[in-house]
Amino acid sequence: MSIEDFTSIKLYTLKNTQGTIVKVTNYGAIITSIITADNQGEFTDIALGHNSLDEYLTAVDKPYFGAIAGPFANRIAKGKFTLNDKTYQLAINNGENHLHGGNIGLDKVIWSPTAISGEEFSGLSLSYIAADGEENYPGNVAFTVEYKLWDNNDLEIYYQASSDQDTYINLTNHSYFNLKGEGQGDVLDHLVFINADHYTPTDSTAIPTGAIVEVANGPFDFTKEKAITTDIDSDHEQIKFGNGYDHNFVLNKNTDEKMSLAASVYESLSGRYLEVFTEEPGIQFYTANYLDGRLASKNGETYIKRGGFCLETQHFPDSPNQENFPSTLLKAGEPFSSKTIYSFSVK
């Protein structure tokens, strides 16, 4: 990518009849802002991010604020998988593992934008074709992501992909939220529900062990709403491995159920309430354990440790190497699609 390419990067604003605003750039298909009302009708940006393109390009230890992560979101052990008797070596960019698509994943490319609209939504469609061998993934893969902001305050994300070769994909949006407002301290007081009776524990490098473990009565039990602070500094080995929460939860699904409630978060000061619905089998709950105050917030403060949370809908990490996990194989010529909704309201 040459510097001249950056002239094609734009910022797009979606707005609904309730005054909610979502801003998206075609660099990385990044959601840069989500501006919603609190229970007093005051509007605040609740999505962590940057004020300028330059910050997205140069920020230290890029935290993937608001970006589309892929072609394979989350981690692949040692950056290796075998497909059709051929072993592929991907970039090692997270300790000894591969993370979020490599050195130049979908979060760092320029997508082609098209405005879309309907009677009750405004939206943006973004497309990108990853060439065969890009970041050493097989296949020419056509990706499309649609963002739709509905008048009922649902933000719908619709992912599509197709490939001319068998390949592995796993797509998510990596937005960080603070329901008090971005840059307004930590999120430890937020009350979280996750509709999952099981999670996938990891080794010390954040790669799943392959086990699927019950959450009951431990720090990973969010089946009843609880504050993030309750167990985030537990002595549990998994909490120590993640420096907090950075784990995949196995969502409860009925056999005939596609779209379902995955999680919800409530913040009592603002009254903001976020619900996440998805067709995906998993969700990564991450509590911004590695933000450290070096990055400036959009409101002139800094992003501190645990200054946001992510709820990344996904297939499970390292799925290409885990036979008992839901498959992330995209067969040549077969379409892939998946939908996630972030629904904003107040109590």
Side-chain angles (χ1 to χ4, degrees):
M1 183 187 299
S2 67
I3 192 68
E4 287 77 19
D5 289 332
F6 296 135
T7 61
S8 64
I9 295 173
K10 309 294 182 186
L11 186 65
Y12 300 83
T13 299
L14 312 180
K15 188 172 183 178
N16 70 9
T17 55
Q18 297 196 48
T20 300
I21 293 173
V22 175
K23 295 184 179 182
V24 180
T25 175
N26 60 316
Y27 174 70
I30 292 169
I31 294 174
T32 65
S33 295
I34 301 173
I35 300 169
T36 67
D38 65 12
N39 56 10
Q40 302 300 311
E42 296 293 325
F43 283 83
T44 302
D45 191 348
I46 60 169
L48 279 62
H50 303 298
N51 281 322
S52 69
L53 173 62
D54 185 62
E55 289 174 284
Y56 283 102
L57 296 174
T58 63
V60 294
D61 299 329
K62 290 182 175 63
Y64 301 92
F65 285 149
I68 293 298
F72 198 97
N74 218 306
R75 295 169 178 86
I76 294 177
K78 296 182 172 53
K80 287 185 179 181
F81 64 78
T82 299
L83 179 59
N84 297 333
D85 298 321
K86 181 178 178 180
T87 298
Y88 293 84
Q89 178 63 63
L90 309 173
I92 303 301
N93 62 330
N94 182 246
E96 62 188 43
N97 301 313
H98 177 81
L99 177 68
H100 293 331
N103 295 322
I104 304 179
L106 298 182
D107 63 298
K108 299 180 187 73
V109 299
I110 300 175
W111 296 64
S112 297
T114 304
I116 53 176
S117 62
E119 286 188 9
E120 297 181 0
F121 74 87
S122 64
L124 185 69
S125 178
L126 297 150
S127 60
Y128 178 75
I129 297 177
D132 181 27
E134 191 166 320
E135 286 294 318
N136 218 29
Y137 285 87
N140 295 289
V141 187
F143 294 99
T144 301
V145 175
E146 291 182 357
Y147 293 113
K148 291 181 179 178
L149 177 61
W150 291 84
D151 285 341
N152 66 354
N153 275 346
D154 283 357
L155 175 59
E156 176 186 319
I157 308 177
Y158 183 52
Y159 307 91
Q160 298 176 81
S162 61
S163 177
D164 61 358
Q165 296 181 43
D166 292 356
T167 193
Y168 286 114
I169 65 165
N170 189 22
L171 302 176
T172 195
N173 178 272
H174 208 299
S175 287
Y176 293 64
F177 301 95
N178 184 330
L179 299 187
K180 290 179 286 193
E182 61 87 26
Q184 296 295 325
D186 64 47
V187 296
L188 295 175
D189 59 346
H190 288 45
L191 300 177
V192 174
F193 162 79
I194 301 177
N195 186 18
D197 293 332
H198 299 82
Y199 79 109
T200 53
T202 71
D203 63 19
S204 61
T205 73
I207 294 296
T209 63
I212 294 176
V213 174
E214 290 188 359
V215 301
N217 303 315
F220 293 89
D221 190 348
F222 287 92
T223 55
K224 294 181 180 177
E225 190 178 66
K226 70 178 179 184
I228 293 173
T229 192
T230 305
D231 294 310
I232 198 168
D233 291 315
S234 160
D235 286 335
H236 194 286
E237 180 183 61
Q238 288 295 307
I239 294 289
K240 290 182 176 179
F241 282 168
N243 195 27
Y245 293 105
D246 188 10
H247 292 79
N248 172 67
F249 287 75
V250 179
L251 295 174
N252 297 332
K253 295 270 189 179
N254 296 327
T255 54
D256 59 347
E257 189 174 45
K258 200 170 184 186
M259 178 71 74
S260 63
L261 176 66
S264 67
V265 185
Y266 175 63
E267 196 280 305
S268 61
L269 188 65
S270 67
R272 288 189 179 89
Y273 183 56
L274 168 63
E275 293 174 287
V276 184
F277 301 86
T278 191
E279 295 178 346
E280 289 293 301
I283 194 166
Q284 188 87 3
F285 179 46
Y286 175 53
T287 46
N289 307 313
Y290 297 101
L291 293 180
D292 58 8
R294 286 187 294 169
L295 294 176
S297 68
K298 288 176 283 185
N299 69 355
E301 302 295 331
T302 60
Y303 291 132
I304 64 172
K305 182 178 181 180
R306 297 168 182 167
F309 66 89
C310 302
L311 288 167
E312 305 157 62
T313 61
Q314 62 179 9
H315 273 60
F316 305 170
D318 198 37
S319 291
N321 299 310
Q322 306 279 354
E323 290 184 358
N324 62 321
F325 287 0
S327 176
T328 53
L329 178 63
L330 176 62
K331 297 285 289 183
E334 294 185 2
F336 165 86
S337 67
S338 180
K339 185 184 294 184
T340 289
I341 293 172
Y342 292 92
S343 183
F344 303 98
S345 60
V346 293
K347 289 185 178 182

